[in-house]
Amino acid sequence: MRKKIAAGVYLNTIPTKKFKTTRMVITFISKPKTTRQVASRALLTNYLEMSNEKFETQIEISKELSKMYGAGLGTGVSKKGNYSVTTFSLSYVESKYLKNTKDLLNQAQDFLKTIIFQPMFKSPLRDEVFERQKNNIITYLESMRDDKQAYAQKKLRELYFESEIQAASALGKLEDFKKLTLADLMKSHEEMINSERVEILVAGNIDEQAVYTSFKELGFKNRLEEYSLDDVIFSQKLSDVKFEDELQAGLLQSKLNLAYKLPVEFRGANHYAALVFNSLFGGSAQSLLFTEVREKNSLAYYANSSFDPFREYLMVQTGIDGKNKDKVIAIIEEQLRKIQAGEFSDELLEQNKMNLINLYISRLDSQVALIARAQTDIMFDSTVQANDWVKKIKEVTKEDIKEVAQLVKLQAVYYLGAKEE
C-alpha cells in the first residue's frame, strides 16, 4: 500500500508474516549541489544518531532501545546516481513474540520522531557532540589512506568522474569535513525536514491503517509536489583514457584498478544482460578475471569487477605484484575481447546465471533486502516481481552479452605501486 502523508511525503507499507520483526525506514532523497552539502549530511546523520534533545547521550539512547526489547537503530547516507539518500531505520520485535503482547508501533514511531525532529541544537552539549562526531569522521577518512584497496577505489573515482560530487564517496570529502560548522548541520537539517522528498517504508506483520494513522501524525509539512525523481541515472560523455601512477614507500601489494563506461539503462533493454556480463567478466568466482588472471596465470592476489547501473560505471580492481602490471592490463583486456567475441562456453554462461539467481533468491528472505528493493522500485517508479527477475536472467543469451560487452569502453587506469627505498 502506498499513501500520501503530505505533499512530497509518502508511506509505503509491506505487510508480510515472513519475519519476526517489523522494520520501519524513513528516507530523505535529495540532489546535492556541492560536496560540502554531502559531507554536512553525513555528519548530520551521525549527530542525530548519537544524541538529541530528549536523549542527550548514547547511553540514554541505548536504554530507550532496550525498553523496546532490544530494538535496533541505524542511520546512513548512500548514493543512487544523481541522488543522495539519507536513511533512518528502526527494527523491533513483533508483539506476538513478547510476553505482554504489547505492540511497539507507536513507541518505535515516537522514538524515530525524536531522533529525526529533535536534534541537540539548543543544548549546552551541542558543540561538544558536534566536534566529537566531526573528529570521528575525519579520523575515519584519514585512516582510509592505510586501506590501500579503498584508497585505490577513491583515486580511480576521482580519475574517472568529471563531476566532483560523483567522484566523492557517499560521505563526502575529507577537506569539506574540516571546514564544517554547526551552522552547516542546522541548515542541512532544515532542508531535510522541510524540503526533501520523503519515502517511509514499513515491513512486517502490520495493521496498515494503524501504521498510516501513526505516521500521519509524525509532523511532516507539505513540500514541492513536483520534486520528481525522473533523472536518477548519472551519465557522462566518453573521453580519452586517463592514466595515473602513484608510488608509495613500504607498499607490499600493488593495486591496479580500471574504470569503464557501460551505458546500460537500469531496468532497460540491456539491464539483465549487463548483470550477467558483469558476473561473467569479474563479478563472481566463476568469472574470467578470477579464473584467468588469478587462478590460471597467478598474476593477481585478487581480480574482480563491479557494475554501478545508476552511474554507468564498471570497475575492475586487482591486487598484484608491480612487475606484472602490463601483463595484467593485457590479460584483463583479453578477457573483455573474449566476451565481445562470444568466446566463452555455454556451461560457464549457465553457471553465472545460476549464481546470480541463487544470490537473488537467498536475499528474498532478508527484510533489509526487501526494503532496499522497495526503495529502488520507488525511485524508478517500476516493480519487478521475483519470478520475472529470474525469468529475465534465464532468458539472457550469448548474443545479448556480446552486445553489452561491445558497449564497454575503458576510461581510466589507476596504479598504486611500491616506491623503491
Side-chain angles (χ1 to χ4, degrees), residues 224-271:
L224 293 178
E225 191 68 63
E226 60 267 24
Y227 199 110
S228 63
L229 302 174
D230 55 1
D231 59 343
V232 177
I233 304 298
F234 172 83
S235 181
Q236 68 181 31
K237 294 180 180 179
L238 285 170
S239 64
D240 294 334
V241 182
K242 302 170 187 174
F243 297 88
E244 182 178 336
D245 287 0
E246 181 178 349
L247 302 179
Q248 292 184 9
L251 201 66
L252 299 178
Q253 183 187 112
S254 297
K255 309 295 179 185
L256 174 67
N257 288 4
L258 296 81
Y260 301 82
K261 179 179 173 69
L262 177 50
V264 170
E265 192 172 315
F266 182 77
R267 288 185 180 169
N270 291 320
H271 173 69

Side-chain angles (χ1 to χ4, degrees), residues 200-240:
I200 303 168
L201 301 98
V202 183
N205 187 12
I206 54 176
D207 179 334
E208 291 185 277
Q209 186 57 47
V211 171
Y212 173 73
T213 301
S214 179
F215 276 97
K216 182 74 174 173
E217 300 172 358
L218 198 61
F220 281 111
K221 300 177 182 177
N222 292 332
R223 57 219 53 220
L224 293 178
E225 191 68 63
E226 60 267 24
Y227 199 110
S228 63
L229 302 174
D230 55 1
D231 59 343
V232 177
I233 304 298
F234 172 83
S235 181
Q236 68 181 31
K237 294 180 180 179
L238 285 170
S239 64
D240 294 334

Side-chain angles (χ1 to χ4, degrees), residues 54 86 97 119 131-132 144 152 170 219-220 237 273 300 312 340 380 383 399 402 411:
K54 187 174 181 180
T86 305
Y97 297 105
E131 290 299 331
R132 182 167 64 247
M144 293 297 286
F220 281 111
K237 294 180 180 179
E312 301 180 346
Q340 290 170 337
F380 286 88
T383 301
E399 288 301 315
K402 287 168 60 178
Q411 292 290 276

